[in-house]
């Protein structure tokens, strides 16, 4: 994603209504991704946790929006301080921004850039929630989001995308969030689950998705919204780069879905709907950092490689004993790492920048830069997230009581259930009982259960 750049006054751009309208549409598409994620995750859990899973995503829309306006935009995209954080007083409360003031070097208003970036900040902590399904107090989760975006997401996004951020200055390529969003969230998920522990019955009880149609709906909406997530990250349509990213998003996602299904058929003997949905998301994750650097053929390679790697990675939790409930580590961390590193192999040097990967004559230089970006974000997010979870667990507690987890977190935390089964049999009905043979008594009505 291109940060603000400095231009000469004579070359300063003017407001483009076309680019502004396009970016507002993209912002709405990215906003849709958070409810889509809620559906995707909500279908993957058991019935008794459905509402809690939905709410763990939805609450991010409320919390992160307010924090972004108050200080998040300033910390992320304000004037650089030491290459690690930003700050601009005019961005605090979005109070010092003119209505027609343009984002530096671009033809869209600052307000439009701010709201587009807000949607990225919203979905990133929501991604983490899938790893924690069934067992986290809702109040503790809300406080975790508040702390995490403040000390992890805002600084990391500045490193990667902010003018002066140290990874941006190093030349790390991350078109739309492989490091700042997916590796960041995946590493955080791993850090938290290592602290809070496993679900009751992990590796013993069946924990199958309760609604695969809901999973497929969520995946389809994520795929749809991801076009705004990716193509919008070039902040306009003046040079065709966004169009390439749009095409590569579709291509890589298709390749990853097919690769996951192929692996699944060879490994387990079946093509599953859950595999199709998960493979598509893996492809979307992997192409997010790479789509502006590779060709469509490269996008096929990125998607296929990520599809197989992520399909293999989701089983590691059983081998190593960490309870990643909905495979956030296996899909988002592994997919983000794969997509980010593959830039160092498949970058053509002819789309978003002139940086070339190993297979296009660029040597190992870009791969080395990508590795620095990947593992610095991974390490920082993993450690800080684990510390935050530990502090919350030792103070207000992160987990619900074991009995509450077994009986169902929805009822305990939200006083609701996702589905009302009380009338599943149709309630009650009246059946007419004829008189006994040889009598003249009128028929009686008896109320019986249907």
């Amino acid at each position: 994603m291109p940060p603000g750049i400095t231009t000469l006054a004579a070359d300063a751009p003017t407001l483009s209504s076309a680019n502004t309208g396009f970016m507002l549409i993209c912002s709405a598409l990215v906003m849709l991704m958070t409810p889509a994620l809620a559906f995707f995750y909500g279908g993957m859990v058991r019935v008794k946790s459905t509402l809690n899973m939905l709410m763990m995503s939805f609450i991010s829309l409320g919390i992160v929006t307010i924090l972004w306006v108050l200080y998040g935009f300033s910390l992320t995209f304000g004037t650089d301080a030491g290459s690690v954080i930003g700050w601009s007083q005019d961005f605090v409360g979005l109070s010092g921004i003119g209505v027609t003031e343009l984002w530096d070097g671009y033809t869209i208003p600052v307000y439009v850039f701010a709201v587009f970036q807000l949607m990225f900040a919203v979905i990133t902590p929501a991604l983490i929630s899938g790893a924690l399904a069934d067992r986290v107090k809702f109040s503790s989760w809300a406080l975790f989001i508040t702390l995490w975006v403040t000390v992890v997401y805002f600084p990391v996004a500045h490193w990667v995308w902010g003018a002066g951020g140290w990874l941006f200055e190093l030349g790390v390529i991350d078109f739309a969030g492989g490091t700042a969003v997916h590796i960041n969230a995946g590493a955080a998920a791993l850090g938290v689950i290592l602290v809070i522990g496993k679900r009751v019955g992990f590796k013993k009880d069946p924990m199958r998705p309760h609604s695969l149609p809901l999973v497929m709906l969520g995946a389809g909406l994520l795929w749809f919204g991801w076009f705004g997530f990716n193509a919008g990250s070039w902040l306009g349509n003046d040079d065709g780069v966004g169009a390439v990213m749009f095409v590569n998003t579709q291509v890589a996602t298709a390749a990853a879905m097919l690769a996951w299904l192929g692996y699944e058929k060879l490994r387990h003997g079946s093509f599953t709907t859950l595999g199709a949905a998960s493979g598509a998301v893996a492809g979307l994750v992997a192409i997010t950092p790479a789509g502006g650097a590779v060709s469509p053929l490269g996008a096929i390679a990125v998607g296929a490689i990520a599809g197989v790697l992520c399909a293999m990675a989701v089983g590691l939790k059983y081998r190593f004993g960490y309870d990643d409930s909905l495979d956030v580590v296996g899909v988002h961390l592994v997919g983000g790492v794969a997509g980010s590193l593959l830039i160092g192999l498949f970058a053509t040097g002819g789309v978003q920048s002139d940086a070339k990967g190993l297979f296009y004559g660029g040597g190992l230089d870009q791969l080395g830069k990508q590795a620095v970006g990947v593992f610095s974000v991974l390490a920082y997010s993993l450690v800080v997230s684990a510390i935050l979870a530990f502090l919350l667990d030792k103070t207000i507690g992160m987990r619900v009581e074991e009995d509450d987890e077994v009986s169902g977190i929805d009822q305990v935390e939200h006083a609701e259930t996702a589905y009302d089964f009380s009338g599943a049999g149709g309630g009650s009905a009246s059946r007419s009982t004829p008189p006994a043979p040889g009598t003249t008594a009128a028929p009686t009505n008896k109320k019986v259960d249907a």
Side-chain angles (χ1 to χ4, degrees):
M1 178 177 298
I5 58 175
T6 302
T7 59
L8 298 176
D11 300 324
T14 58
L15 189 148
S16 165
S17 58
N19 284 340
T20 298
F22 170 73
M23 290 306 301
L24 288 173
I25 292 171
C26 287
S27 300
L29 287 172
V30 181
M31 180 271 164
L32 177 67
M33 291 173 66
T34 298
L37 181 73
F39 290 140
F40 181 69
Y41 283 166
M44 291 174 69
V45 296
R46 291 168 287 179
V47 169
K48 63 183 180 179
S49 304
T50 306
L51 293 182
N52 182 253
M53 200 71 262
L54 295 174
M55 283 291 287
M56 288 179 79
S57 288
F58 263 79
I59 194 63
S60 187
L61 282 162
I63 293 172
V64 180
T65 297
I66 301 304
L67 297 182
W68 186 256
V69 171
L70 293 178
Y71 58 82
F73 184 54
S74 183
L75 288 175
T76 307
F77 290 103
T79 303
D80 178 71
S83 298
V84 294
I85 201 66
W87 187 259
S88 292
Q89 190 62 37
D90 287 347
F91 292 169
V92 176
L94 304 183
S95 57
I97 302 170
V99 174
T100 59
E101 182 181 346
L102 301 183
W103 186 242
D104 285 348
Y106 293 90
T107 59
I108 61 173
V110 175
Y111 274 115
V112 174
F113 177 75
V115 77
F116 180 68
Q117 279 295 320
L118 162 62
M119 302 310 172
F120 281 68
V122 165
I123 196 171
T124 305
L127 293 172
I128 302 169
S129 66
L132 317 179
D134 297 331
R135 59 200 189 274
V136 174
K137 292 180 182 178
F138 188 69
S139 56
S140 299
W141 169 246
L143 183 54
F144 177 83
I145 289 178
T146 302
L147 298 173
W148 188 84
V149 294
T150 301
V151 300
V152 179
Y153 181 79
F154 297 155
V156 168
H158 180 77
W159 300 354
V160 176
W161 293 323
W166 73 276
L167 291 178
F168 174 79
E169 296 299 328
L170 180 64
V172 175
I173 295 174
D174 186 353
F175 195 97
T179 52
V181 176
H182 297 290
I183 293 174
N184 202 3
L190 181 59
V192 175
I193 59 181
L194 291 177
V195 171
I196 68 171
K198 309 173 185 65
R199 288 168 291 177
V200 175
F202 176 64
K203 294 201 292 187
K204 297 178 182 178
D205 299 336
M207 297 181 180
R208 292 184 291 270
H210 88 279
S211 176
L212 288 169
L214 201 60
V215 174
M216 295 295 280
L217 173 64
L221 289 173
L222 281 170
W223 195 334
F224 175 69
W226 224 292
F227 289 116
F229 193 85
N230 281 357
S233 289
W234 199 241
L235 307 184
N237 285 311
D238 298 326
D239 56 8
V241 175
V244 172
M245 185 58 167
F246 193 107
V247 171
N248 284 345
T249 298
Q250 177 68 17
V251 169
T253 306
M257 180 178 65
L258 296 176
W260 186 301
L261 288 172
Y263 173 85
E264 191 175 57
K265 177 65 174 178
L266 292 173
R267 182 73 175 82
H268 303 292
S270 301
F271 302 113
T272 69
T273 52
L274 182 60
S278 299
V281 173
L284 290 164
V285 169
I287 202 61
T288 290
V294 303
S295 68
L297 288 177
I300 293 175
V302 170
I305 292 170
V308 172
L309 289 178
C310 292
M312 296 171 64
V314 296
L316 294 178
K317 62 185 179 183
Y318 299 110
R319 178 177 300 178
F320 295 108
Y322 61 90
D323 186 7
D324 174 17
S325 304
L326 308 183
D327 301 319
V328 178
V329 176
V331 174
H332 292 277
L333 179 57
V334 174
V337 169
S340 297
L341 292 180
L342 288 172
I343 294 171
L345 302 181
F346 293 109
T348 65
V351 189
Q352 75 175 92
S353 72
D354 58 4
K356 295 183 178 181
L358 178 64
F359 297 160
Y360 287 82
L364 295 174
D365 181 60
Q366 191 61 42
L367 181 60
K369 293 176 181 178
Q370 296 303 121
V372 171
V374 164
F375 293 108
S376 60
V377 171
L378 193 162
Y380 179 76
S381 184
L382 175 69
V383 172
V384 176
S385 302
I387 292 172
L388 291 176
F390 178 81
L391 293 175
L392 289 174
D393 194 46
K394 295 302 180 183
T395 51
I396 64 174
M398 282 288 284
R399 295 189 61 146
V400 297
E401 296 295 330
E402 182 174 323
D403 288 346
D404 294 335
E405 180 182 335
V406 172
S407 63
I409 195 170
D410 283 357
Q411 190 65 53
V412 172
E413 291 292 301
H414 308 290
E416 298 171 307
T417 56
Y419 307 101
D420 181 7
F421 295 111
S422 63
S428 61
S430 295
R431 179 181 300 157
S432 179
T433 304
T439 70
T440 58
T444 60
N445 288 329
K446 294 183 178 180
K447 194 174 185 182
V448 297
D449 290 334

